[in-house]
Amino acid sequence: MLRIRRMAGALVAVVVGIALVLLALMLLLAGRPIVPDRLAAAAVVVQAPGSRSPAEAFPPTVPWSAAKTDDLSRRLGAVLGVEAVVPDRSFYVQALVDGRPAAVEGQRQDSYEGHGWSSVRLGGLSLVSGAQPRRPGEVVVDRALGFRPGSSVTLLTATGPVPYTVTGLVDAPGYLVADAVAAELAPGVRAIGLVLGPGADPGAVAAAARDVVGDDGRVLSGDERGALEPRDDARARWVGMQALTGVATLAGFVTVFVVASTFAFSVAQRRRELGLLRAIGATPRQVRRMVYGEALLVGGVGAVLGSIVGAAGAPIVGRALVEAGLEPTTYEVRYELLPFVAVLVLGPVVAVLGAWSAARRAARVRPLEALREAVVERRRMGRLRWVAGGLLTTLGIALAVGTATAEDAQDGATFALYAAMALITGMVALAPAAVRPIVGLWRLPLRQGGGAIGLLVREGASTAARRTASTAAPVLLTVAFAVLVAGMVRTTTEAYAAGRAADVDAGQVLVPDRTPGLSDAAVAAVPGAAMLPTTVFAPENGSGTTPRAWSALGVDTTAFIRTDRGARVVAGSLEELNETDTAVVAESVRREVGDSYPVVFADGERVTLRVVAVVADRSVRADLLLARETVRRHDPSALTSTIYLPGGGDAAVSAPPGAGARVIDVATWAAEADSSEDRLVWLFTLMLIGVSAGYGALAVANTLLMAAQGRAADLRVMRLAGATRRQVAGYVAAESALVVLIGAVLGGVVAFGALVSIRAGLSQQVGAAVELVVPWSVIGGVVGLCLLLALLAGVLPTRRMLRERAIRMPS
């Protein structure tokens, strides 16, 4: 029974860890792209050729032009088994309801996308009333908007509001217009759906389509069509995958860490038992095998129980991820065999890894330990522990330096997480050496107000430094990770907001209101100031490989030069930029003034531009500058992101009514610019804090419960020596508080060191001084939680043991 109690802490650690890992694995597997409902009826889909972009995790495809689309459609229509060929044209459109753009729940892309009527054949939309649109000015809308067939509606397009007549209603978000209208409003085509006839074999049709398409596209069938999901959904899945991968990694690390500290503490408590086994003839190998056997048992049972818990919680967590925006609405958790097999193997492996150091220490226990009553540690820290702790601490410092010098924020965050892991492990290894100095911090108050009890607490912690360090290890882990993650996110958020505000020379900003961008009508109040973003495609360095997606801005040349946008001209002149066939390129594009530069625009048209100027990298917010008229001609669905305005007084600008825009000050804009992304990052942060703090707090309670059970004899001796029950309970409470103090100090050192390196890295990235945001509320909450659990886990068992009537000397 006593052994079961001692292993309970390790068992709970394995159960929770395996549950988290299984849950993360199930959620990761569920995050595979699925076929969009809007294309589900097309058994085979031809996707436009891909592009590449170092700055974009999901680079757009290179669109086909109208002529290329017609040619491909004609040839694909001749494939045996194809009943219909449907080019899918998409463009921006949004209904105005009560004078404002219709609210978009979660900024779903299909809620502000329009398509040609023929796209209905591809799936996902059904006409529930009315008729299809046949002429310009007719539209079919989602019935959830509240319109009726025959009613009038104003649609906001990229060029501004346009009156339409509702001819029908569908049962899903989206807008449908006549195919001829869609061809005018949409840029190039990126997907062509093939509707098959009865009995047609999708595999055979796909193979024949590949022969027809060649290098002009990618033929997808079956689950491959998941690659066609909206880019917003793909980004949401990617963010969710990052969060779940971080949770799984952290859960595995924390599980090994907690199991290791639990077994180490258990071995320290059982030194007399192990010494007795050695005295009756047990060899060191047999002692190690005993500890490993206990670990295998704990790991096996914990894996089974953790699998049950994780499997039960996965669907609930999956729904929560969708509601939080970390996964798209199409996300669905499924039960598959692979995650269960993985965690059933992982459980025993993790337990054995955690028990490895404890098993080695147990094998070194000498038979003489069976005769000792005192818990004073006779042996100092071993050389191996010093070396391992030093190496891990050095590695953590090196990773922290990598954080400080990282040019990319994501790389810096990754370095910071790994640095914290290395520093935590190294600090735990070296913690016994730090116990005495930290105990010294409490020496004065213990001497003044603690009397004999304070002396016992101080000397007990100092003479049993290893036991004290093992008990404080979960607190160290909890405080370090919670403070690091919260501080990193808050510091990063403040840094980028400050960087954005400092980079803008304006008093106010015109921003979208319930829309993904600003239409031409919204920017009409500030003619010449709006820059129109688009994407063009061209080979990098003149090579014939996969084209690169380049960001481009359409500008009014005169206004751009007059307002001094900060473009540092390296060669040529900005004044030569006109609306026909000219371009200004950044140095990274590696083109010279006078070069001919062929690019593909958003409408699929290939145009050869003449380079008239080269500007320094990062002096403009794009790779190319083009005339605004050129961008609008080739990208009829392009939207302006923001417009910087002069602030206050007579120069103040008001947003046009019904244009989906609002005017805010720069500070508000800087804080809101990445608010949706910041919200997802903060949710990710809460997940990591929940795993580390919750798991660590549980480990604190388990470890102190084990400590209380192992101190029964010592407490009875104190009672026989004349201590009252209140004094004994006070002793246990003071000892628990001291353990929390030691763990909090060491964890704070780790977290603060990593945060300082993160601040240095951010200062380099934003080019300005960054203030370190210390999450005092998180520190107070986590330390308070650990202290509360420590007191409950220490005092409650003590009171129960003191109520026992049998008082005897320990044997």
Side-chain angles (χ1 to χ4, degrees):
M1 180 63 69
L2 183 59
R3 181 172 297 179
I4 294 176
R5 289 182 179 179
R6 285 171 175 168
M7 291 298 103
L11 177 62
V12 171
V14 174
V15 169
V16 176
I18 291 300
L20 287 172
V21 172
L22 175 66
L23 186 124
L25 290 177
M26 291 181 63
L27 297 176
L28 283 169
L29 288 178
R32 291 172 297 192
I34 64 174
V35 182
D37 290 340
R38 202 176 56 77
L39 301 174
V44 178
V45 180
V46 181
Q47 186 183 37
S51 68
R52 71 178 204 85
S53 174
E56 176 61 65
F58 304 96
T61 53
V62 183
W64 296 301
S65 64
K68 186 66 174 179
T69 300
D70 292 341
D71 178 61
L72 281 174
S73 299
R74 177 181 55 78
R75 289 189 287 147
L76 289 168
V79 173
L80 184 64
V82 175
E83 182 178 280
V85 178
V86 183
D88 183 46
R89 293 182 169 87
S90 301
F91 55 93
Y92 165 71
V93 63
Q94 209 168 347
L96 296 181
V97 179
D98 297 329
R100 295 185 65 191
V104 179
E105 182 180 355
Q107 288 298 307
R108 289 184 55 184
Q109 186 172 333
D110 54 5
S111 296
Y112 49 80
E113 266 192 354
H115 305 275
W117 172 253
S118 60
S119 294
V120 170
R121 300 197 62 180
L122 300 179
L125 294 172
S126 301
L127 190 66
V128 296
S129 65
Q132 72 179 68
R134 300 182 183 276
R135 294 179 295 274
E138 296 182 343
V139 64
V140 171
V141 302
D142 181 9
R143 62 179 174 181
L145 294 176
F147 294 99
R148 295 181 179 180
S151 60
S152 298
V153 61
T154 299
L155 297 183
L156 185 62
T157 66
T159 55
V162 181
Y164 273 78
T165 299
V166 177
T167 62
L169 304 176
V170 289
D171 56 356
Y175 302 84
L176 297 165
V177 298
D179 289 334
V181 176
E184 294 178 0
L185 294 176
V189 175
R190 287 185 162 90
I192 300 176
L194 305 184
V195 180
L196 308 188
D201 179 14
V205 172
R210 290 187 182 94
D211 293 335
V212 171
V213 174
D215 295 333
D216 291 333
R218 179 186 175 197
V219 179
L220 307 172
S221 61
D223 292 340
E224 295 175 334
R225 295 173 296 163
L228 297 165
E229 70 175 347
R231 293 174 68 194
D232 289 349
D233 286 359
R235 287 192 183 95
R237 289 185 191 277
W238 182 82
V239 171
M241 294 306 100
Q242 301 304 307
L244 293 172
T245 301
V247 169
T249 302
L250 185 57
F253 172 78
V254 172
T255 302
V256 174
F257 183 91
V258 173
V259 171
S261 64
T262 303
F263 270 94
F265 191 79
S266 175
V267 168
Q269 283 189 313
R270 298 164 59 189
R271 292 186 70 85
R272 290 189 62 200
E273 175 190 334
L274 296 173
L276 184 60
L277 290 175
R278 294 283 286 117
I280 62 175
T283 65
R285 176 178 296 182
Q286 289 174 321
V287 173
R288 282 195 300 268
R289 287 174 57 187
M290 181 190 70
V291 177
Y292 284 141
E294 292 174 351
L296 284 173
L297 177 62
V298 168
V301 174
V304 173
L305 297 177
S307 298
I308 297 173
V309 175
I316 300 173
V317 177
R319 289 192 295 270
L321 291 176
V322 174
E323 293 176 0
L326 286 171
E327 293 292 350
T329 55
T330 55
Y331 184 79
E332 183 180 357
V333 177
R334 304 178 184 88
Y335 290 98
E336 299 184 34
L337 181 62
L338 181 60
F340 290 91
V341 174
V343 296
L344 289 176
V345 173
L346 182 65
V349 171
V350 166
V352 170
L353 287 175
W356 174 77
S357 178
R360 293 181 64 255
R361 189 177 303 116
R364 291 198 299 264
V365 174
R366 294 171 295 176
L368 188 60
E369 298 289 340
L371 303 177
R372 285 183 177 153
E373 296 288 348
V375 295
V376 178
E377 294 169 354
R378 304 291 183 181
R379 191 171 174 271
R380 296 181 178 179
M381 284 176 52
R383 182 178 303 174
L384 179 61
R385 185 162 186 164
W386 277 107
V387 172
L391 289 176
L392 286 168
T393 303
T394 303
L395 175 62
I397 294 173
L399 290 171
V401 172
T403 303
T405 57
E407 296 182 358
D408 182 77
Q410 184 176 348
D411 291 341
T414 302
F415 277 131
L417 184 61
Y418 291 147
M421 289 182 178
L423 287 172
I424 287 172
T425 310
M427 190 66 73
V428 169
L430 301 176
V435 168
R436 288 179 180 272
I438 296 176
V439 169
L441 297 175
W442 240 21
R443 177 172 298 181
L444 184 59
L446 283 178
R447 278 185 171 178
Q448 289 181 346
I453 298 299
L455 177 64
L456 285 175
V457 172
R458 187 179 70 247
E459 296 303 322
S462 300
T463 55
R466 288 187 181 181
R467 186 195 66 192
T468 304
S470 297
T471 311
V475 182
L476 189 161
L477 174 77
T478 304
V479 172
F481 269 122
V483 175
L484 169 65
V485 174
M488 177 175 65
V489 171
R490 292 187 180 181
T491 300
T492 302
T493 301
E494 294 292 334
Y496 285 121
R500 285 190 291 265
D503 197 34
V504 173
D505 183 17
Q508 295 177 309
V509 183
L510 185 68
V511 298
D513 181 25
R514 290 188 174 186
T515 64
L518 299 172
S519 66
D520 290 350
V523 305
V526 279
M531 294 184 286
L532 195 60
T534 189
T535 301
V536 299
F537 306 88
E540 190 170 15
N541 301 332
S543 64
T545 58
T546 301
R548 175 171 171 175
W550 299 95
S551 60
L553 283 177
V555 302
D556 181 296
T557 305
T558 302
F560 185 83
I561 297 174
R562 183 181 67 249
T563 54
D564 185 18
R565 297 284 182 173
R568 299 192 301 274
V569 179
V570 175
S573 173
L574 296 177
E575 296 178 353
E576 296 189 30
L577 183 65
N578 57 56
E579 68 275 11
T580 54
D581 60 351
T582 57
V584 175
V585 301
E587 288 181 294
S588 57
V589 179
R590 298 185 181 179
R591 294 284 177 166
E592 304 294 335
V593 173
D595 285 352
S596 295
Y597 191 34
V599 302
V600 175
F601 279 94
D603 60 356
E605 295 292 338
R606 184 183 179 89
V607 178
T608 300
L609 303 175
R610 179 171 55 88
V611 177
V612 297
V614 178
V615 295
D617 289 335
R618 299 186 180 181
S619 64
V620 295
R621 300 176 184 272
D623 300 309
L624 288 82
L625 293 179
L626 306 171
R628 196 177 196 281
E629 293 80 0
T630 301
V631 172
R632 176 55 75 204
R633 184 169 61 251
H634 290 287
D635 192 350
S637 200
L639 298 170
T640 299
S641 55
T642 54
I643 300 178
Y644 307 127
L645 308 170
D650 297 334
V653 176
S654 299
R662 62 192 176 107
V663 177
I664 57 177
D665 58 77
V666 172
T668 303
W669 167 79
E672 293 181 355
D674 289 325
S675 58
S676 59
E677 182 176 341
D678 290 342
R679 184 182 68 86
L680 294 180
V681 171
W682 184 243
L683 290 173
F684 177 29
T685 302
L686 293 179
M687 290 175 65
L688 291 180
I689 292 177
V691 171
S692 59
Y695 205 164
L698 182 64
V700 170
N702 280 331
T703 303
L704 289 172
L705 280 172
M706 293 171 61
Q709 293 164 2
R711 302 291 301 280
D714 296 338
L715 300 181
R716 292 191 182 102
V717 169
M718 290 180 63
R719 289 284 286 133
L720 292 174
T724 64
R725 291 183 179 180
R726 179 174 296 181
Q727 287 176 320
V728 174
Y731 164 75
V732 174
E735 190 176 51
S736 300
L738 178 58
V739 166
V740 172
L741 173 67
I742 293 171
V745 169
L746 296 178
V749 169
V750 171
F752 184 75
L755 287 176
V756 168
S757 64
I758 290 172
R759 181 184 65 174
L762 289 172
S763 298
Q764 180 176 342
Q765 292 168 25
V766 302
V770 173
E771 181 180 355
L772 178 63
V773 180
V774 180
W776 294 111
S777 59
V778 174
I779 295 175
V782 171
V783 174
L785 176 63
C786 290
L787 181 59
L788 176 62
L789 291 176
L791 293 175
L792 291 176
V795 174
L796 291 181
T798 300
R799 293 176 64 87
R800 180 182 58 82
M801 287 185 292
L802 292 177
R803 283 198 300 266
E804 294 180 0
R805 298 182 61 182
I807 300 178
R808 61 185 184 276
M809 290 296 293
S811 58

